[in-house]
Amino acid sequence: MGTEQRETIGVVGTGYVGLVTAVGFAELGSEVWCIDIDEQKIENLKQGRIPIWEPGLEELVAKHADRMHYSTSLDDALEHARLLFVAVGTPPTYSGDADLSAVHAVVEAMPASDKHAIVMKSTVPCGTGDNIKRVFREQGKGELKYVSCPEFLKEGSAIKDFLEPDRNVIGDEGDWAGDAVVALYEALDAPILRTDIRSAEMVKLASNAFLATKISFINEIANVCEETGADVVEVAKGMGLDGRIGSQFLQAGIGFGGSCFPKDVTALKQLAGNSGYHFQLLNSVIEVNELQKRRVIAKLEKHLGSLVGKEIGLLGLAFKPNTDDMRDASSLVLSARLQAAGARVRAYDPVAEEEARKLISGVDFKSSSQEVADGADAVVLVTEWSEFGDIDLADLAKRMRGSLLVDGRNFLDPVAARRVGLIYEAIGRPSGNGQIG
Ligand code: UGA
C-alpha cells in the first residue's frame, strides 16, 4: 500500500464491523481512533487483545499498532478526525424493528460542528439518516454532515471483504463529507456507487434480504429434490453457471443464521409493514428458514424412530465456519429440539464452545469429533469447519454405536461415507443408502 498521507478517521464501536473497518483503513494508511464505551474492551485492545475471533484480525491490528488509537472518549476521535464512522450494534427489538439506542447515543453526544460528519456503518432502517439530520437540526447542530456507508463484509472473511470488496456504497448529499468518504474508498480497486442516503440504506437491507432469499429458495429446491430424487448439489451447479443467477449463496443446508440475515430480513419486513406495505416474499423466506432447521429431526427419526434416550452428536455449533459467533445459529434450535424430543446431545466446535456455553444448556461439550462419535447413535454435521472435511470416516463409524451420519451442509463425500458402512443423509441429495457409489 502507498504511504501517502491519508485522512485520520474515528470509529465508534469496537465490535466486529468497527474493528475491521478501523484496521482496514489503517492498512490503507490512515490513523484511526477507535472509541467504545466499554472500558474493559478498550483496555484489552490497548494490550493487543481482540474481543472477537476473526481470521487475520489480530495480526493486522498488531501490524498497525502505531496507527490504531483506543479511547472511551468521543472527544479524542473528534479532536483528530473529521469523519466519525459509527459501527455500533443495532439488535432486533421485540417488535422486529432495529434497536437504534446505541446509534442515538452517539447522535446525542455529537457537539455542534461544521467540521465533522457521521458516517453510518451500522445497519439501520431506511429513513434513519433523515431522522438523524432532523435531530441535529432540532438540537442546533444542523452543520453536522451525515453519510450512509453500509457494510457488506462477511464474518470469517471480513478482512478480505474489506480490502477486496465487490463494491462500496456511499449515500450523501453531495457535500465535503461524501467527497472525503469517496476519497477513502477510492484507494480500493472496487466500484463505488455514490447515491442518496435513503437509497444507500436500502441497498444494504435489500442485499441481505436477497441473499437470504437465495438461500431459502435453494433450501426449498433441496426439499423438492428429496421428493423427486434429484441432487440439489448438481442442480445448484447447473443453475449457478447461468451468469444471471450466479453460483454463490446456493448452498442448501440447515438454514441461515448469524447476527445479520435473520435480523435484517425481519427488519426489512417490519420496515415495509410500518410503511403500510406487506412484504409477502420475506414472510416465506423467514418461514422456510425456520422449518429448515427442524428438518434434521425428521431425518433422524426416519432412521432411529423415537429419539428418546438416543445419543446424538453435533459437529460444529457456530452459525458458519471461521467464526465463534453463535447468534441465531441453527444449532441453537436444533439442540433444543433434539433435547425436547428426548435425545441426549453432545457437541464439538473447534472455536465456538465458549460462546455456545452462554446460549445452550443441557449439551455435553466434547473436545474433538472423535469424542462426539464415541457411542453416538447418530452424528449431525452442523457447521462445515474445514477440519471436518478431514475426518477419518472409517474411524468415526467404528466409534459410533449406531451408523447414521446426517450432513446438514452437504459437505462430506457421500460415497466415502457409505463405503465405510455409514447411513449417509444429506440435504436435498438422494438417500442412496444400501448402494455404494
Ligand atoms: C452477511 C452478508 O453475507 C454480508 O454481506 C453482510 O455484510 C453481513 O451479513 C452483515 O449484514 O453484516 P454473515 O452473516 O457474516 O454476512 O455470513 P454469510 O456468509 O452471509 O452467511 C450467513 C448464513 O447463511 C450462515 O448461516 C451460512 O451458513 C448461511 N448460508 C450462506 C447458507 O446456508 N447457504 C449459502 O449458500 C450461503
Side-chain angles (χ1 to χ4, degrees):
M1 282 308 146
T3 49
E4 81 275 18
Q5 190 62 38
R6 307 231 341 133
E7 172 123 19
T8 298
I9 61 161
V11 178
V12 187
T14 57
Y16 166 74
V17 170
L19 264 187
V20 173
T21 303
V23 80
F25 281 122
E27 170 78 358
L28 297 177
S30 287
E31 295 276 321
V32 185
W33 284 82
C34 300
I35 312 297
D36 204 296
I37 49 168
D38 186 333
E39 289 177 14
Q40 189 57 52
K41 238 180 178 180
I42 290 297
E43 210 34 57
N44 286 343
L45 283 163
K46 283 181 178 167
Q47 315 283 332
R49 286 198 294 274
I50 306 294
I52 46 172
W53 196 91
E54 174 66 33
L57 183 58
E58 194 165 348
E59 293 80 349
L60 205 59
V61 168
K63 176 178 167 195
H64 295 301
D66 56 334
R67 290 183 192 159
M68 303 274 286
H69 313 278
Y70 305 100
S71 170
T72 51
S73 162
L74 192 63
D75 290 345
D76 280 335
L78 294 171
E79 185 188 324
H80 296 93
R82 302 187 295 170
L83 302 174
L84 200 68
F85 285 77
V86 177
V88 295
T90 53
T93 58
Y94 287 118
S95 61
D97 298 285
D99 176 357
L100 297 182
S101 52
V103 167
H104 284 301
V106 179
V107 169
E108 292 295 323
M110 288 297 285
S113 162
D114 60 357
K115 294 188 178 56
H116 289 97
I118 274 191
V119 186
M120 190 58 66
K121 278 261 149 226
S122 301
T123 301
V124 294
C126 184
T128 302
D130 284 345
N131 289 341
I132 289 176
K133 285 190 345 214
R134 189 173 308 123
V135 172
F136 282 157
R137 281 195 300 275
E138 284 167 8
Q139 296 183 344
K141 310 190 292 199
E143 296 297 307
L144 282 167
K145 298 293 180 216
Y146 185 96
V147 181
S148 166
C149 183
E151 187 50 70
F152 300 105
L153 45 84
K154 301 183 291 299
E155 293 189 25
S157 58
I159 304 282
K160 182 172 181 295
D161 291 344
F162 180 94
L163 295 170
E164 299 164 34
D166 286 340
R167 81 312 205 176
N168 284 298
V169 176
I170 295 159
D172 72 304
E173 296 184 312
D175 45 45
W176 67 261
D179 293 345
V181 177
V182 167
L184 279 171
Y185 279 104
E186 266 172 353
L188 296 167
D189 184 22
I192 292 176
L193 172 72
R194 189 169 184 181
T195 181
D196 62 281
I197 293 170
R198 281 181 186 252
S199 300
E201 292 168 338
M202 190 55 99
V203 169
K204 168 68 192 186
L205 295 173
S207 298
N208 272 5
F210 185 79
L211 292 170
T213 303
K214 232 178 150 182
I215 298 170
S216 277
F217 182 86
I218 200 67
N219 281 338
E220 287 221 279
I221 293 292
N223 300 342
V224 178
C225 284
E226 287 179 11
E227 301 300 322
T228 56
D231 182 342
V232 74
V233 174
E234 295 300 308
V235 174
K237 250 186 238 166
M239 289 170 64
L241 287 170
D242 185 328
R244 294 169 302 174
I245 297 173
S247 60
Q248 294 188 61
F249 283 71
L250 281 183
Q251 261 171 267
I254 53 173
F256 58 77
S259 65
C260 304
F261 283 174
K263 162 180 88 93
D264 292 349
V265 173
T266 304
L268 180 53
K269 181 190 126 174
Q270 295 303 345
L271 180 76
N274 296 343
S275 325
Y277 181 73
H278 179 62
F279 205 142
Q280 211 161 316
L281 184 58
L282 290 187
N283 279 325
S284 303
V285 170
I286 295 164
E287 193 184 351
V288 168
N289 197 50
E290 281 313 309
L291 295 175
Q292 198 67 15
K293 298 176 197 172
R294 293 153 200 260
R295 283 178 68 87
V296 167
I297 307 290
K299 288 181 192 294
L300 291 167
E301 284 173 342
K302 179 174 132 193
H303 293 278
L304 303 178
S306 163
L307 297 183
V308 176
K310 295 287 176 355
E311 293 283 349
I312 310 294
L314 305 182
L315 293 177
L317 293 167
F319 85 97
K320 66 174 197 176
N322 299 323
T323 177
D324 66 349
D325 202 335
M326 283 295 299
R327 285 175 289 178
D328 259 311
S330 295
S331 63
L332 296 174
V333 169
L334 185 56
S335 60
R337 273 295 307 131
L338 284 169
Q339 291 182 73
R344 285 200 288 267
V345 182
R346 74 274 281 289
Y348 161 66
D349 188 285
V351 172
E353 178 178 332
E354 195 182 324
E355 291 303 310
R357 280 182 184 276
K358 296 178 191 163
L359 299 172
I360 289 183
S361 60
V363 168
D364 183 7
F365 288 95
K366 304 288 190 190
S367 50
S368 69
S369 48
Q370 287 83 2
E371 281 183 25
V372 163
D374 284 334
D377 292 295
V379 167
V380 182
L381 187 139
V382 176
T383 313
E384 66 278 34
W385 283 98
S386 65
E387 71 169 66
F388 296 149
D390 301 329
I391 282 181
D392 178 344
L393 291 171
D395 177 61
L396 187 97
K398 244 183 257 145
R399 288 171 179 272
M400 288 172 64
R401 180 164 78 186
S403 55
L404 177 59
L405 175 62
V406 180
D407 183 354
R409 297 290 176 183
N410 293 344
F411 184 61
L412 301 170
D413 178 357
V415 177
R418 290 182 185 126
R419 190 176 292 135
V420 299
L422 289 165
I423 298 172
Y424 175 84
E425 286 277 355
I427 309 293
R429 311 196 75 180
S431 268
N433 293 306
Q435 340 156 10
I436 291 179

